């Protein structure tokens, strides 16, 4: 049986323990929801305030040049590239995940259908994040294509000669199950299809090697493990072999080859810059840069490989403690035990009461979240930048008390909020 003393010993030996100081974490809170919204970096309030006070307030429009505003999408893109195995000048930070998916999926379909006009299908996972499926469904309706949805384990077998694009989220948002990007991309390519990857639950949490996997397109989120703040800009990556083959459909002025020439016709910018669209949200960009810098601070300590090792240790510990201390209360495990197949979250299942259990935990200062389904999901994210092994022990102890004392049955925990 692992004790609290054992967990504190693990924290004392943790080479990443100093990174916790980079975040403004509320006293008395164990934050297990960084997979949905990362916490506030210590540097962000002053950095955003300076952008407001000095760059906007004093520099005014001059700050597009003097404060480097114009270069922010590319500069942040290069920082993200180091976290996802992309090359320099291959990523831009811009827009939202949904908008970026629309851009790259449109481009991927244009390429795939030009190379093989008979292909009519997008293959994806039935439990993919809904916005991805909605975007794909809209494009299929617009272009007369078919969206083919299969179970997680059926993806490889569903790719055939009719497949134009394989579209997957690398780590499943409901279960934490992780696809083998390299293997599935190779299967797609062997069938003549392209592979589009959503890294929303991967970037900053697990090791990603887009170039090594020979992926075609990728998008991802800025406000989860990248700690960029609510509604932070997302990012987009396109393999250089595809970047200049087609226009992306949102051909706004920032993606023009010479935006300040103000010509009446559109001439796409070279490379990844053509995947920009309109004027960028500068205050959100500077906040996102603070979040990215928390991850880059781990580089001298072993980078993503070190973060991944700690993530697996934290999630292993959580699973083990839940099974030791919370058995007999109807909890199941949706997340794979195999390290090769697991992201940086642990999802527990329960037929009834899952929402109320999560609410009771939140009232105790243990913040996770709930996802409806059959069965329902209690979802806990483990961000190794700031979580301690001691936090895991205390979180499970709170869960045991909520269950053993039937605390979750109190009326206030069974009133559902708009955001779950």
């Amino acid at each position: 049986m692992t004790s609290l003393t054992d967990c504190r010993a693990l924290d004392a030996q943790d080479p990443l323990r100093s990174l916790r100081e980079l975040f403004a974490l509320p006293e008395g809170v164990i934050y297990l929801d960084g997979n949905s919204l990362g916490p506030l970096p210590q540097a962000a309030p002053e950095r955003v305030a300076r952008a407001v006070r000095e760059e906007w307030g004093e520099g005014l429009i001059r700050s597009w040049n003097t404060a480097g505003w114009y270069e922010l999408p590319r500069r942040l893109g290069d920082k993200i590239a180091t976290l996802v195995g992309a090359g320099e000048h291959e990523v831009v930070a811009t827009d939202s995940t949904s908008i970026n998916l629309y851009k790259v999926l449109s481009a991927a379909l244009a390429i795939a259908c030009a190379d093989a006009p008979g292909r009519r299908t997008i293959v994806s996972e039935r439990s993919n994040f809904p916005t991805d499926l909605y975007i794909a469904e809209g494009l299929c309706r617009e272009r007369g294509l078919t969206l083919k949805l299969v179970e997680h384990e059926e993806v490889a077998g569903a790719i055939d000669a009719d497949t134009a694009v394989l579209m997957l989220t690398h780590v499943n948002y409901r279960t934490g199950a992780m696809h083998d990007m390299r293997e599935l991309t190779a299967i797609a390519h062997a069938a003549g299809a392209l592979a589009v990857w959503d890294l929303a639950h991967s970037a900053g949490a697990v090791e990603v090697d887009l170039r090594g996997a020979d992926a075609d397109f990728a998008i991802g989120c800025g406000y989860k493990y990248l700690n960029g703040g609510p509604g932070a800009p997302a990012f987009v990556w396109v393999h250089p072999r595809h970047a200049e083959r087609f226009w992306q459909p949102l051909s706004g002025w920032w993606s023009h080859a010479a935006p300040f020439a103000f010509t009446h016709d559109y001439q796409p910018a070279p490379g990844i810059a053509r995947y920009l669209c309109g004027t960028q949200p500068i205050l959100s960009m500077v906040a996102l840069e603070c979040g990215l810098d928390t991850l880059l601070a781990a580089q001298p300590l072993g980078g993503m490989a070190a973060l991944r090792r700690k993530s697996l240790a934290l999630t292993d510990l959580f699973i083990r403690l839940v099974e030791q201390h919370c058995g007999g209360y109807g909890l199941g495990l949706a997340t794979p035990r195999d390290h090769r197949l697991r992201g940086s979250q642990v999802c527990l299942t329960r037929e009834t009461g899952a929402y109320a259990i999560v609410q009771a935990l939140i009232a105790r200062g243990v913040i996770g979240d709930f996802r409806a389904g059959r069965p329902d999901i209690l979802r806990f994210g483990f961000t190794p930048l700031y979580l301690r092994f001691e936090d895991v022990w205390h979180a499970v102890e709170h869960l045991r008390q909520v269950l053993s004392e039937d605390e979750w049955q109190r009326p206030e925990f069974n009133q559902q909020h708009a955001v779950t």
Side-chain angles (χ1 to χ4, degrees), residues 119 121 123 148 156-164 191-193:
R119 294 175 182 269
T121 303
V123 171
K148 181 178 180 180
I159 302 167
D160 58 25
D162 193 49
T163 305

Side-chain angles (χ1 to χ4, degrees), residues 177-219:
M178 184 166 65
H179 287 291
D180 187 323
M181 182 185 294
R182 185 187 298 266
E183 178 183 356
L184 288 174
T185 298
I187 291 171
H189 288 174
L194 299 179
V196 172
W197 291 94
D198 182 341
L199 306 180
H201 290 272
S202 304
V206 303
E207 293 176 279
V208 177
D209 187 3
L210 290 170
R211 278 298 202 105
D214 199 30
D216 297 295
F217 299 86
I219 51 96

